[in-house]
Amino acid sequence: IFNPIKKYRNTISSMGRGILPEEKFREGTDELGRIGSALNSLIQGLKNLTTFSEEMGKGNFKSDFKPLSDGDTLGNSLIQLRENLRTATIEEEKRKREDERRNWSNHGIARFSEILREHTDDLDKLASKLISELVKYLGAQVGGLFLIRSGDNGEKEIVLVASYAYDRVKHLQKTIQVGEGLVGRCVQEGNTIFLTDIPEDYIRIKSGLGEDNPRCLLIVPLRLNEEITGVIEIATLEVFEEFQIEFIERIGTSIASSISAAFAEELKNTRT
């Protein structure tokens, strides 16, 4: 009796110093066997707690762990700690994403403000530079810039003034009537159109791998003093996120203002 009790005492003393034994104790139906069984259960529980803590330290908040019982103070405390750490990690990742998106938008606004300042005296260069840089900045594939002009009959027409697709100008329908198609509807209603279910054969995206239907189509009206002066249409193989749509809408007024100024300057030079 004395030798097993001495072994139990030494083991418990070591556990008090944070040292967990590797060997298992004899289990049985007698009193010493029951003590050995209880010690084995305690040691295994502490080992599980150690593994659980190590996984949390690695950032793994999905590791499987169950408290020894409803009254397991340490186990339940660690589970609560895991939930707190998981929430904090999610919030931190969310904050980082928001910061990245904010920086992306601010950088884009500065970049396109510079483009708008550089080409105020040449409408064609301004329109071409705008649509090509916008498509690239968004990681899209195809884009078109449409402006509203007066036709021969005095009626308003939507005219394609610049387009971009994989570093080459893409031939698109040059003139659209107000209310015609998606671009015409955007002008007529004055609202952004965002589609992830694109009409069949509406537009095709060409690449070195062939042709694909876009997964996302975005048409944003260019508004100046509550008047629609043009439209930006962009198609992409990826779906735009909300912050990207808001970015295009945000710079739309600046684009409308600069293009109107460039057009007025062009008319002035033509008359002169």
Side-chain angles (χ1 to χ4, degrees):
I1 293 175
F2 175 77
N3 287 333
I5 291 177
K6 180 179 179 181
K7 186 176 180 182
Y8 295 153
R9 182 194 65 193
N10 291 337
T11 297
I12 294 172
S13 178
S14 295
M15 291 171 62
R17 299 192 302 272
I19 303 172
L20 299 181
E22 295 296 331
E23 63 176 313
K24 294 186 67 174
F25 293 96
R26 181 186 68 84
E27 299 182 5
T29 56
D30 60 332
E31 291 302 321
L32 291 177
R34 291 174 181 173
I35 293 174
S37 177
L39 273 174
N40 287 336
S41 177
L42 174 61
I43 292 167
Q44 186 58 49
L46 291 173
K47 287 181 177 180
N48 291 341
L49 284 170
T50 301
T51 301
F52 180 56
S53 300
E54 289 173 347
E55 290 299 315
M56 282 198 297
K58 297 174 184 177
N60 178 15
F61 302 125
K62 296 182 179 180
S63 59
D64 186 32
F65 174 76
K66 292 182 179 180
L68 297 176
S69 67
D70 292 340
D72 183 358
T73 304
L74 179 57
N76 286 308
S77 295
L78 283 176
I79 287 179
Q80 184 61 51
L81 175 61
R82 178 182 64 180
E83 295 307 310
N84 293 340
L85 289 173
R86 177 188 293 168
T87 301
T89 300
I90 292 173
E91 290 299 320
E92 178 64 16
E93 291 175 351
K94 180 180 178 181
R95 184 191 63 78
K96 286 182 178 179
R97 284 196 304 271
E98 290 175 349
D99 287 344
E100 289 173 356
R101 292 172 178 179
R102 190 179 301 108
N103 292 335
W104 180 87
S105 296
N106 292 337
H107 176 73
I109 290 172
R111 180 175 175 178
F112 285 97
S113 295
E114 184 177 350
I115 292 174
L116 292 173
R117 288 193 299 268
E118 287 177 350
H119 304 284
T120 54
D121 58 342
D122 191 321
L123 179 59
D124 290 337
K125 285 184 179 180
L126 175 60
S128 180
K129 185 70 172 178
L130 271 173
I131 195 62
S132 63
E133 289 299 318
L134 188 56
V135 170
K136 292 175 185 177
Y137 195 69
L138 292 167
Q141 283 73 43
V142 176
L145 176 59
F146 298 82
L147 297 180
I148 298 176
R149 296 287 181 260
S150 295
D152 295 335
N153 57 1
E155 296 291 330
K156 287 185 177 180
E157 295 179 337
I158 309 167
V159 180
L160 176 69
V161 295
S163 60
Y164 175 89
Y166 276 121
D167 297 324
R168 66 179 184 274
V169 174
K170 182 177 178 66
H171 178 73
L172 298 172
Q173 184 179 348
K174 298 294 183 181
T175 303
I176 301 172
Q177 301 302 315
V178 175
E180 178 186 358
L182 294 174
V183 170
R185 195 181 93 194
C186 179
V187 171
Q188 187 176 55
E189 298 177 357
N191 297 319
T192 295
I193 295 176
F194 175 63
L195 297 177
T196 54
D197 184 14
I198 316 301
E200 188 69 24
D201 296 329
Y202 177 80
I203 193 171
R204 303 285 289 178
I205 292 178
K206 292 184 179 181
S207 70
L209 301 176
E211 288 191 353
D212 287 307
N213 283 322
R215 289 188 59 201
C216 171
L217 181 68
L218 179 65
I219 307 175
V220 177
L222 302 178
R223 195 186 308 272
L224 181 62
N225 299 325
E226 299 304 318
E227 181 182 355
I228 307 298
T229 62
V231 166
I232 289 177
E233 179 182 44
I234 296 178
T236 176
L237 295 173
E238 302 294 332
V239 177
F240 284 131
E241 295 189 52
E242 185 175 347
F243 76 97
Q244 293 173 304
I245 300 173
E246 291 176 352
F247 167 74
I248 302 176
E249 292 175 333
R250 188 175 173 184
I251 65 173
T253 300
S254 298
I255 292 175
S257 177
S258 296
I259 286 180
S260 295
F263 180 64
E265 185 66 22
E266 185 179 90
L267 285 178
K268 179 181 176 182
N269 293 336
T270 301
R271 290 169 182 171
T272 302

